[in-house]
Amino acid sequence: MKMILLAFFTFAFAAVLEAQAASKRPTVTEAEAFMKKAEARLAEVGTKVQQANWVHENFITNDTEALAAAVNDENTAVTAELVEEAKRFEGLKMPDDLARKFLLLKLSLVAPGPKDPALRKEMTEIAVSLESEYGRGKYCDASGTCRDITAIEKVMGESRDPNQLKDLWVGWHAVGAPMRKRYSRFVELSNQGSRDLGFKDTGALWRAGYDMPPDQFSADLDRMWDQVRPLYLSLYTFVRARLSQKYGPQVVPLDGPIPAHLLGNPWAQAWGNVYPLLGIPESSNGYDLTQLLRAKQLDAKGMVKYGENFYKSLGFEPLPQTFWERSLFVKPADRDVVCHASAWDVDNKDDLRIKMCIQVRDVDFVTIHHELGHNYYQRAYKHQPYLFLNGANDGFHEAIGDTIALAATPEYLKRVGLLENIPPAEADIPLLLKQALEKVAFLPFGLMIDQWRWKVFSGEITPENYNRAWWELRLKYQGVVPPIPRTEADFDPGAKFHVAGNVPYMRYYLAHIYEFQFYRAMCRASGYSGPLNRCTFFGSKEAGAKLNQMLAMGQSKPWPDAMEALTGERKGDASALLEYFAPLKKWLDEQNQGMMVGW
């Protein structure tokens, strides 16, 4: 009898404990209330972050650096606090949209700080200092002429003196060396913050933001690179042969890698500036866009107006008046600014801006369309909840403006009054070659930046091997080498803004694939059926409506859903890019007969 009573009371006691535990378990209603407060708090601090960073990047001083560091630290602290509080809802069955918000909250920090406030403050101060150092960077040559990165880019795009190019390349890359120790500490602190969130390291955190397991995402990147690599090798072989003719085989050997300083910009990331060296007759493509723009005597705002008018032709509203009042279009003569082009949505409503040191030239014309793509995306999804105020994935955000720029074909230029006559079909090869020097040449560079950082974050690349590993990856993917031997006293990754500024880079690689998918879909929506490279959907409200349908989704759904809304496809695929450049690939292979392909 005693045994029976004991068993009964034990069962009853357990039932009471279970009932008490059940009463303490969070509910969906509580999760929704938490998320509503979290989004409101994030929105408030997010606006402060944008305002402080806008001022810092446009007025680089010790004071603005300190203010930006303080508000960035506050944002990191608030987000980390909310992520910690959100852990009590783990395991709770939620509606899909609510569960997605909890995931995005966890992934919202690019560099999550450690829980320790002192360490977190140290990390944010390092991050701001690295970006400031890049923005203030200058190189003064032997003659006493000092140039910032904007001036260096201009000279390296135009100079054909290999000694001057080498001098500028080495001079600019010296900006990275002082960053090395701080960058290593930043990696250490960022990894600590990522582990506090349950990730192996910061690289694993970054790769988790693509609606698929990190390993599957990495495999997907390799799949797309395998698609485009033959086209890159054809372009590479052709360019190397022409550079060898220009500079001599002792400088550019026909069977080896290309020296990085000879490809038209400080990073050899895009090669458009070497087009005049490739032996294509000047008149073969019928026009020079830079000359057309200058003939119109355009100023910086006039350049931006062309970009706005393209979006308006698709059915989008004009940019707000505050855009024209608050944006930075021209580099100020009296102060240091971060000239790297960027688009801003300061209040997640209507305070849209761009920050760009515009020059009247073809590459800036394209960049303007690119940056405005960010602004129109931001405006399209502004009605979404705070955690959905983003692109479907970061590659989408980078791809939109470039999709529009692809449609800036000769027919478009004629329709907007920049070009009198559309060049004949035989001019397609020079035009496609120019595009490939920007789009195709960029792909391996876009891929390797984060391949390097992921290995740094994981510890596979240690601080003692930062620079050696950097150049090993650049040789593997791009086939380029530095103009002079480099050592571990150098820190060449720091001479690239996105490393110094801790901006994930895989988005740009993805964007260069996605933009052709989006472009092909919009061409089809506009009713176009000719050769893909000749399509413009300027003025097509049908194409604009299709695009807006995807943009308005923001990050509310997994990115394959957004991809499908515009393209009908559910994965990244380079077939549209290959279709676009198919005439060029055939021509390049004919030019390359008898040459060694690759390095």
Side-chain angles (χ1 to χ4, degrees):
M1 185 65 177
K2 289 182 178 179
M3 293 295 293
I4 293 173
L5 287 173
L6 181 60
F8 171 77
F9 285 120
T10 301
F11 174 79
F13 183 64
V16 170
L17 289 177
E18 185 176 344
Q20 289 176 340
S23 68
K24 294 180 180 178
R25 287 179 193 143
T27 65
V28 170
T29 300
E30 290 173 326
E32 289 172 339
F34 165 82
M35 186 54 67
K36 183 176 180 180
K37 291 180 180 178
E39 289 191 292
R41 195 173 176 195
L42 289 169
E44 180 183 1
V45 73
T47 299
K48 290 167 61 177
V49 167
Q50 290 290 87
Q51 290 171 332
N53 281 290
W54 175 267
V55 172
H56 169 241
E57 292 196 18
N58 284 280
F59 301 86
I60 301 175
T61 68
N62 291 335
D63 294 328
T64 61
E65 183 176 319
L67 291 170
V71 75
N72 287 339
D73 181 62
E74 180 187 355
N75 181 57
T76 302
V78 167
T79 306
E81 177 187 329
L82 292 171
V83 170
E84 188 66 27
E85 291 178 20
K87 288 181 179 179
R88 67 182 285 253
F89 299 102
E90 289 179 357
L92 177 65
K93 179 69 174 176
M94 306 179 193
D96 288 346
D97 61 338
L98 183 59
R100 184 165 182 80
K101 287 183 180 181
F102 274 89
L103 172 64
L104 294 174
L105 172 62
K106 193 175 181 180
L107 298 173
S108 59
L109 287 175
V110 173
K115 290 181 181 178
D116 184 315
L119 295 179
R120 188 186 64 242
K121 184 172 184 289
E122 180 188 358
M123 190 197 77
T124 54
E125 287 176 347
I126 289 173
V128 172
S129 75
L130 291 173
E131 186 172 322
S132 295
E133 192 155 342
Y134 184 95
R136 284 193 290 255
K138 290 181 176 64
Y139 168 57
C140 300
D141 62 24
S143 70
T145 301
C146 295
R147 297 182 175 94
D148 62 11
I149 187 57
T150 302
I152 288 172
E153 281 190 80
K154 187 175 189 299
V155 177
M156 291 192 74
E158 298 172 353
S159 175
R160 306 307 178 205
D161 178 349
N163 292 321
Q164 183 186 31
L165 292 170
K166 180 189 292 186
D167 182 63
L168 288 171
W169 189 97
V170 173
W172 173 251
H173 278 73
V175 76
M179 302 179 189
R180 184 189 186 95
K181 186 176 180 180
R182 276 172 294 149
Y183 185 81
S184 176
R185 177 62 173 160
F186 172 82
V187 168
E188 181 182 342
L189 294 170
S190 175
N191 275 342
Q192 185 173 333
S194 296
R195 285 192 291 271
D196 288 343
L197 296 180
F199 294 95
K200 183 180 177 182
D201 55 60
T202 300
L205 169 69
W206 289 5
R207 295 194 301 279
Y210 293 93
D211 298 303
M212 62 178 67
D215 289 345
Q216 183 183 341
F217 176 60
S218 296
D220 218 36
L221 297 174
D222 291 339
R223 173 184 58 80
M224 289 185 283
W225 175 238
D226 287 342
Q227 284 183 281
V228 299
R229 188 170 184 271
L231 174 58
Y232 175 75
L233 291 177
S234 294
L235 177 68
Y236 176 95
T237 302
F238 176 77
V239 169
R240 179 180 58 192
R242 297 304 187 271
L243 292 180
S244 184
Q245 289 178 2
K246 169 65 179 177
Y247 296 113
Q250 72 281 3
V251 177
V252 185
L254 286 169
D255 58 354
I258 301 174
H261 65 300
L262 300 177
L263 285 163
N265 69 57
W267 311 281
Q269 69 177 55
W271 306 345
N273 288 323
V274 305
Y275 177 81
L277 303 181
L278 302 185
I280 309 297
E282 288 187 16
S283 60
S284 61
N285 67 340
Y287 69 93
D288 180 316
L289 180 54
T290 297
Q291 290 181 5
L292 295 176
L293 294 167
R294 290 174 180 171
K296 288 287 185 180
Q297 297 184 323
L298 293 173
D299 60 9
K301 280 192 177 181
M303 293 267 284
V304 180
K305 278 291 183 183
Y306 274 102
E308 181 194 36
N309 287 336
F310 200 125
Y311 289 90
K312 286 166 60 177
S313 83
L314 300 176
F316 292 94
E317 293 296 316
L319 292 162
Q321 181 58 33
T322 52
F323 171 88
W324 302 101
E325 296 167 352
R326 299 173 183 175
S327 291
L328 177 79
F329 299 121
V330 179
K331 187 182 188 308
D334 61 344
R335 66 182 190 268
D336 290 324
V337 302
V338 176
C339 266
H340 183 84
S342 55
W344 298 64
D345 180 7
V346 174
D347 62 358
N348 293 311
K349 294 175 184 174
D350 294 300
D351 192 354
L352 305 171
R353 312 177 191 181
I354 64 170
K355 177 182 61 59
M356 183 178 171
C357 302
I358 296 173
Q359 301 176 57
V360 180
R361 55 179 183 170
D362 51 3
V363 65
D364 288 44
F365 189 74
V366 172
T367 301
I368 287 165
H369 287 76
H370 171 90
E371 297 304 336
L372 293 185
H374 289 298
N375 286 147
Y376 278 98
Y377 205 164
Q378 290 158 342
R379 174 187 269 179
Y381 58 55
K382 70 178 183 179
H383 64 283
Q384 292 282 358
Y386 182 82
L387 283 167
F388 294 158
L389 295 175
N390 211 336
N393 70 36
D394 53 11
F396 276 62
H397 232 306
E398 299 299 334
I400 300 305
D402 285 347
T403 300
I404 304 302
L406 282 175
T409 60
E411 181 182 337
Y412 160 72
L413 297 176
K414 184 176 189 298
R415 289 172 66 180
V416 298
L418 285 171
L419 187 63
E420 288 189 14
N421 300 301
I422 298 174
E426 54 265 28
D428 282 5
I429 293 300
L431 290 172
L432 285 170
L433 180 57
K434 277 192 171 182
Q435 283 276 41
L437 293 170
E438 297 293 333
K439 305 292 185 181
V440 179
F442 174 82
L443 288 167
F445 183 81
L447 185 60
M448 63 77 50
I449 296 285
D450 280 352
Q451 298 281 12
W452 179 82
R453 276 195 291 200
W454 294 345
K455 292 176 189 294
V456 167
F457 285 128
S458 73
E460 183 178 340
I461 296 174
T462 62
E464 302 79 45
N465 296 307
Y466 276 171
N467 227 45
R468 179 174 63 82
W470 173 262
W471 285 106
E472 286 175 351
L473 286 169
R474 296 202 66 179
L475 178 61
K476 174 183 175 181
Y477 286 105
Q478 283 187 283
V480 303
V481 290
I484 65 171
R486 309 301 280 168
T487 72
E488 293 306 323
D490 304 304
F491 183 57
D492 294 330
K496 177 63 182 165
F497 169 78
H498 299 77
V499 175
N502 195 47
V503 179
Y505 210 73
M506 200 55 70
R507 62 187 65 180
Y508 302 105
Y509 173 77
L510 292 172
H512 277 60
I513 304 290
Y514 292 164
E515 67 181 88
F516 290 91
Q517 287 183 264
F518 298 165
Y519 173 74
R520 181 169 64 183
M522 292 183 70
C523 288
R524 290 171 176 170
S526 73
Y528 180 82
S529 59
L532 186 57
N533 63 288
R534 287 189 150 240
C535 164
T536 185
F537 41 74
F538 177 77
S540 172
K541 300 299 191 292
E542 295 80 7
K546 194 82 169 174
L547 175 64
N548 191 60
Q549 180 184 356
M550 181 183 80
L551 300 185
M553 294 169 69
Q555 203 172 11
S556 63
K557 302 290 182 184
W559 71 261
D561 292 353
M563 174 74 77
E564 188 174 28
L566 176 59
T567 69
E569 302 159 354
R570 292 190 61 82
K571 67 178 183 179
D573 177 58
S575 65
L577 181 151
L578 297 176
E579 179 184 346
Y580 183 93
F581 286 110
L584 177 67
K585 176 69 162 65
K586 181 176 182 294
W587 183 84
L588 288 171
D589 290 344
E590 290 170 355
Q591 308 305 307
N592 292 340
Q593 284 193 10
M595 296 183 190
M596 175 186 169
V597 176
W599 54 91

